[in-house]
Amino acid sequence: MQKISIMTPKYSNTEESVDVILIGAGIMSATLGVLLKELQPDLSIEIFERLDVAAAESSDAWNNAGTGHSAFCELNYTPQIADGTVETKKAVAIAESFEVSKQFWSFLVNSNLVDSPESFIKSIPHMSFVWGAENVEFLKTRYNNLQKSNLFKGMVYSEDPGLLAEWMPLVMEKRDPAEKVAATKMALGTDVNFGSLTRMMFNELQKREYINLYFDHEVRKLKQKNGLWEVKVKDQATGKKRIVKAKFVFIGAGGGSLPLLEKSGIPEGNGFGGFPVSGQWLKCVNPEVIAKHNAKVYGKASVGAPPMSVPHLDTRMIDGKKALLFGPYAGFSTRFLKHGSLLDLPLSIKVNNIRPMISAGLDNLQLTKYLIDQVRQSPEDRLEALKEYLPTAKMEDWELETAGQRVQVIKKDEKHGGILEFGTEVVTAADGSIAALLGASPGASTAVSIMITLMERCFSKKLKTTEWQKKLKEMIPSYGEKLSGNAELTQQIRTETTRVLKLKAE
């Protein structure tokens, strides 16, 4: 893993003041930091990360699915409701958000702010694969509904086992010929190494004036006083503590965001809880098997499974090498971070969120049972799950790899008391002085859209200025316009980002 040089702290025990504090050195803080410095170069920013390297938690390649989440293949973004209808609203929104991300990344490449695009993004077909008459009907309906949106132009649907064998030979090899199967393919899909991208953005930020990035620094307390946030930070190497004052604070600490949001004391954070879900991958160690598969093949999640547990046979590019993963297998831990504490969950339970957390727990007993079953799985159980997607799988070709830790959002709900949300949630104070990002997938893939939403809430006056509007349009040409429903603009944008990011055309 590429490390960023650790900054030498430029402080004694005295207080200091900056414009912006970013907590957590992941994809979200990196994205917001670059956006803000491009929009206003004279902003002073301090970034604090409790680990000794950037992107070591949710943004790391081994902890993140790496799928450029654009809803091309992820069936959980197109739920089937009771009457059989397949909803596509969320899928369309995610597809549009990923196009926004690609525009911003293209700007970074064109401006020489990051290294070559091949170092963080690659073309890889996105496929959905199902079996059984009921699931085939679902996939066909999903495909037909998605064709109504120009964002899914180029998607192909087939029930022909011969064609499917060309798309994904390992998946179809020695499969029962009597089994009814179907798949969709989107050539425009991508694999993204968000860890690499994050570290490149922080490397760029470190070259700018008025920016300090500190590793092995843990934020202990946050308190608003006289219009500024006083953030107490501990240098874990020396034990020294200091207070940094800031006009704006962003809590982008992944699973660590909820405890910090609670410490901030803002009323907007009341009632939020977190439900941690851990994960594991089966990693292929046979180069011959790895070479035979070249796609991200997503299936349907098991009943009761969280969306992050949607099974997929996944071609990845990690550290410059082709990899093949299957999973993730879900599990449960009371840690909110992979490198967190077993006390994270119990310590997050407060008077203002205990009712939503209990209510959400009672409403999701099926999920609890699913996680218990997953934890109890033997190696043979995991191999059987893999064989549903790769019938010829052999135990000796695969080994278990620990994946990342995700914290699903629990929030207040008038009807149920509390609900479990599968997605991301931006929580901002009424005065726009602090914001926290909670949740998980599609997260990293839609980071640019999420940070723009944050800026619309917290930097609304600045965002309305001619200077900021002009710069945003330069970074994201479609800014202020909807791609969904505008086929011409979508094609224009995709042609340009495909060229700049050196992706394969549809």
Side-chain angles (χ1 to χ4, degrees):
M1 181 186 293
Q2 174 193 1
K3 287 195 175 186
I4 301 173
S5 58
I6 299 175
M7 294 290 295
T8 302
K10 303 172 183 175
Y11 61 86
S12 57
N13 286 323
T14 59
E15 295 182 353
E16 60 180 280
S17 180
V18 294
D19 293 313
V20 173
I21 287 177
L22 305 177
I23 303 174
I27 186 69
M28 296 295 174
S29 290
T31 300
L32 182 59
V34 173
L35 282 168
L36 288 175
K37 286 299 283 186
E38 287 294 319
L39 291 165
Q40 189 171 329
D42 64 350
L43 276 178
S44 55
I45 301 177
E46 299 263 275
I47 306 158
F48 299 106
E49 168 57 49
R50 60 190 289 272
L51 300 178
D52 65 350
V53 64
E57 283 280 354
S58 298
S59 302
D60 180 68
W62 289 111
N63 299 336
N64 188 296
T67 301
H69 282 301
S70 40
F72 294 157
C73 58
E74 308 94 315
L75 300 181
N76 54 302
Y77 297 147
T78 49
Q80 188 169 26
I81 56 182
D83 65 358
T85 304
V86 176
E87 282 283 351
T88 61
K89 183 178 179 181
K90 185 175 183 179
V92 171
I94 290 172
E96 177 141 3
S97 289
F98 189 65
E99 294 299 327
V100 170
S101 291
K102 286 196 295 182
Q103 290 174 69
F104 178 65
W105 300 339
S106 295
F107 166 78
L108 298 180
V109 172
N110 281 331
S111 304
N112 296 315
L113 301 181
V114 299
D115 297 335
S116 62
E118 298 98 326
S119 59
F120 70 89
I121 189 168
K122 299 275 188 181
S123 288
I124 189 77
H126 283 196
M127 302 181 194
S128 300
F129 174 69
V130 298
W131 57 89
E134 187 176 331
N135 288 335
V136 168
E137 187 60 32
F138 160 77
L139 189 63
K140 187 174 183 179
T141 302
R142 177 185 189 268
Y143 167 76
N144 288 332
N145 288 358
L146 289 175
Q147 293 310 291
K148 299 172 185 176
S149 169
N150 55 283
L151 289 166
F152 294 86
K153 179 186 175 184
M155 180 178 283
V156 182
Y157 172 87
S158 179
E159 298 175 20
D160 177 10
L163 182 58
L164 268 53
E166 293 179 16
W167 292 357
M168 41 188 174
L170 283 182
V171 174
M172 297 303 294
E173 188 176 355
K174 293 188 178 180
R175 188 170 292 276
D176 183 356
E179 186 176 51
K180 191 171 178 62
V181 294
T184 56
K185 177 182 178 181
M186 193 72 167
L188 198 63
T190 56
D191 175 67
V192 185
N193 188 325
F194 289 105
S196 176
L197 175 60
T198 298
R199 288 184 280 274
M200 285 192 289
M201 284 196 282
F202 277 126
N203 276 330
E204 169 58 30
L205 283 172
Q206 283 192 282
K207 300 173 186 175
R208 308 287 183 97
E209 287 187 310
Y210 319 120
I211 285 192
N212 288 322
L213 170 57
Y214 301 105
F215 291 102
D216 284 315
H217 279 62
E218 184 176 24
V219 172
R220 306 299 294 270
K221 292 182 181 180
L222 302 94
K223 180 176 68 175
Q224 192 175 31
K225 186 177 179 180
N226 299 324
L228 294 175
W229 282 96
E230 295 184 352
V231 179
K232 190 173 185 179
V233 186
K234 179 182 178 180
D235 182 336
Q236 297 179 117
T238 65
K240 290 184 178 180
K241 298 175 184 177
R242 63 166 169 147
I243 291 175
V244 184
K245 296 181 179 180
K247 299 172 186 175
F248 173 76
V249 175
F250 170 61
I251 306 173
S257 291
L258 177 61
L260 291 172
L261 174 62
E262 292 176 334
K263 288 180 180 181
S264 74
I266 62 171
E268 292 82 4
N270 290 340
F272 280 96
F275 185 82
V277 179
S278 60
Q280 294 176 312
W281 300 102
L282 279 180
K283 178 178 72 174
C284 187
V285 293
N286 186 332
E288 292 183 7
V289 175
I290 295 170
K292 290 179 181 178
H293 187 75
N294 191 54
K296 290 181 179 290
V297 179
Y298 275 62
K300 289 194 75 174
S302 303
V303 176
M308 67 164 284
S309 297
V310 172
H312 45 287
L313 187 62
D314 197 348
T315 295
R316 301 288 308 278
M317 288 299 296
I318 301 177
D319 299 328
K321 295 182 180 179
K322 186 178 180 181
L324 181 59
L325 306 178
F326 177 77
Y329 298 92
F332 177 76
S333 166
T334 55
R335 290 183 172 90
F336 277 1
L337 292 162
K338 191 174 180 178
H339 302 281
S341 165
L342 290 172
L343 295 176
D344 287 343
L345 177 58
L347 290 177
S348 74
I349 300 172
K350 309 294 182 184
V351 173
N352 64 57
N353 69 6
I354 190 167
R355 181 169 177 262
M357 291 186 73
I358 292 174
S359 298
L362 292 174
D363 284 345
N364 289 274
L365 292 176
Q366 196 174 29
L367 171 60
T368 303
K369 179 181 181 300
Y370 168 81
L371 292 175
I372 292 172
D373 290 343
Q374 287 275 295
V375 171
R376 295 169 59 189
Q377 279 190 326
S378 66
E380 290 75 18
D381 292 330
R382 286 189 284 267
L383 183 66
E384 285 305 308
L386 170 59
K387 282 186 172 181
E388 291 186 329
Y389 290 83
L390 204 165
T392 59
K394 298 176 183 178
M395 183 82 75
E396 59 266 27
D397 292 338
W398 300 81
E399 63 180 33
L400 201 60
E401 179 84 21
T402 302
Q405 189 81 0
R406 298 289 186 271
V407 179
Q408 309 294 346
V409 179
I410 294 174
K411 58 191 293 188
K412 290 187 292 186
D413 181 76
E414 292 184 7
K415 184 177 180 181
H416 297 278
I419 55 173
L420 185 63
E421 289 276 319
F422 296 105
T424 49
E425 184 89 21
V426 179
V427 183
T428 55
D431 63 359
S433 64
I434 190 169
L437 183 75
L438 307 177
S441 183
S445 296
T446 58
V448 181
S449 292
I450 292 171
M451 292 302 101
I452 289 174
T453 297
L454 181 151
M455 291 192 301
E456 288 171 347
R457 297 182 190 178
C458 301
F459 297 85
S460 56
K461 290 183 179 179
K462 285 280 190 180
L463 209 58
K464 293 175 183 176
T465 63
T466 303
E467 292 81 7
W468 278 42
Q469 287 284 314
K470 182 179 178 181
K471 186 63 179 182
L472 270 172
K473 196 74 175 176
E474 179 187 339
M475 292 188 284
I476 304 161
S478 72
Y479 178 72
E481 303 178 66
K482 295 288 289 183
L483 292 176
S484 178
N486 190 334
E488 184 179 350
L489 180 60
T490 299
Q491 187 58 48
Q492 177 186 332
I493 293 295
R494 281 182 169 170
T495 298
E496 180 62 10
T497 57
T498 296
R499 182 190 67 81
V500 175
L501 297 175
K502 299 184 180 179
L503 303 174
K504 294 178 183 177
E506 295 177 57

